[in-house]
Amino acid sequence: NASKADDAAAVELAANIQKHGVAQAVVDGVFNGMIHGMAHKTPTVRKNWLTAFKAVVESATPAVIPHLLAVLPTALACGGDKNAACKATALESTKAFGCTVPAEAMAAIVPVVLKGVTSYHDPTKLVSLGMLENITKAAPEQLSVYLPEVVPTVVELVHDLNPKVSSAATAALAASAATLSNKDVEPFIPALLAGLEDPSAATTCVHKLAATTFVQQISAPVLALMEPVLMRGFAANKTA
């Protein structure tokens, strides 16, 4: 079975990286091979390298992560591959990366994923939003620090003309909001999300927030979620 043989080869590659070290993998051109292989004109070759990427991701040590981040944009772009098998493998590999990414790599991975979110290609947006959602579950505390960058980027897609992109953005936004740990704000998260999804709900949310006495400090991640709703609410009052 060709598929099983390809999977076995991918697992063997990952094992060799663990055995001989990442420096040898760089010398051997493994990561550059992934980038070029994922862009190959032959679908089978693209799928094999995506499978290899997934296998390496699933067994990655911290030393391997920077090299995988260099490959990640190409893997995200493969989410729009016209070949169904390649597309499915791209989704699997980026999901695996999002679920296993170490917390200390967050500063490096968030900009890469957000660049995918702002892609001109809807399939790349979808894969990137899905990966972002997985990251929020894998490392919620670390991801919350980056909400000032994440929220404005994702909010722009909540009303995307493509319903799939809009739905994925809404899900990623909700997952991002769930990373907050402010007891004063937590009860208002559903209202804040509603205000972001439906501008007409923003005024109601602002009134609820205005009637609240905040005890805990309002951090930058919390403000990142509140600011767009407050701006919409104040704008609605001015035009009313």
Side-chain angles (χ1 to χ4, degrees), residues 141-209:
E141 185 178 347
Q142 291 75 18
L143 189 280
S144 68
V145 175
Y146 296 93
L147 288 188
E149 291 80 28
V150 170
V151 172
T153 304
V154 178
V155 163
E156 291 293 321
L157 299 180
V158 169
H159 300 289
D160 195 274
L161 294 177
N162 185 328
K164 290 183 179 180
V165 173
S166 175
S167 177
T170 301
L173 193 61
S176 299
T179 66
L180 293 174
S181 57
N182 184 299
K183 297 297 181 183
D184 295 330
V185 175
E186 283 175 9
F188 297 99
I189 287 178
L192 286 166
L193 290 173
L196 291 172
E197 295 170 31
D198 180 5
S200 65
T203 301
T204 301
C205 183
V206 169
H207 289 160
K208 288 181 179 179
L209 290 170

Side-chain angles (χ1 to χ4, degrees), residues 10-211:
V11 171
E12 184 179 358
L13 174 64
N16 283 336
I17 292 175
Q18 287 189 318
K19 182 179 179 180
H20 301 294
V22 66
Q24 186 60 50
V26 172
V27 170
D28 293 341
V30 170
F31 303 105
N32 280 334
M34 288 182 181
I35 293 172
H36 293 298
M38 290 178 190
H40 199 277
K41 63 180 182 180
T42 305
T44 304
V45 175
R46 296 199 300 274
K47 181 181 181 298
N48 288 347
W49 278 108
L50 284 162
T51 302
F53 176 69
K54 179 174 179 284
V56 176
V57 162
E58 291 175 336
S59 61
T61 61
V64 180
I65 296 298
H67 301 283
L68 292 175
L69 283 172
V71 181
L72 181 57
T74 308
L76 290 171
C78 286
D81 199 297
K82 294 180 180 179
N83 180 275
C86 292
K87 183 175 182 177
T89 309
L91 289 169
E92 291 171 6
S93 65
T94 53
K95 180 178 180 181
F97 203 161
C99 291
T100 59
V101 62
E104 58 270 20
M106 200 62 62
I109 195 172
V110 167
V112 177
V113 176
L114 291 183
K115 188 173 182 179
V117 169
T118 58
S119 167
Y120 289 109
H121 303 289
D122 285 353
T124 304
K125 289 180 185 176
L126 287 168
V127 178
S128 302
L129 287 166
M131 185 173 180
L132 177 62
E133 186 177 353
N134 288 325
I135 293 171
T136 65
K137 298 170 183 176
E141 185 178 347
Q142 291 75 18
L143 189 280
S144 68
V145 175
Y146 296 93
L147 288 188
E149 291 80 28
V150 170
V151 172
T153 304
V154 178
V155 163
E156 291 293 321
L157 299 180
V158 169
H159 300 289
D160 195 274
L161 294 177
N162 185 328
K164 290 183 179 180
V165 173
S166 175
S167 177
T170 301
L173 193 61
S176 299
T179 66
L180 293 174
S181 57
N182 184 299
K183 297 297 181 183
D184 295 330
V185 175
E186 283 175 9
F188 297 99
I189 287 178
L192 286 166
L193 290 173
L196 291 172
E197 295 170 31
D198 180 5
S200 65
T203 301
T204 301
C205 183
V206 169
H207 289 160
K208 288 181 179 179
L209 290 170

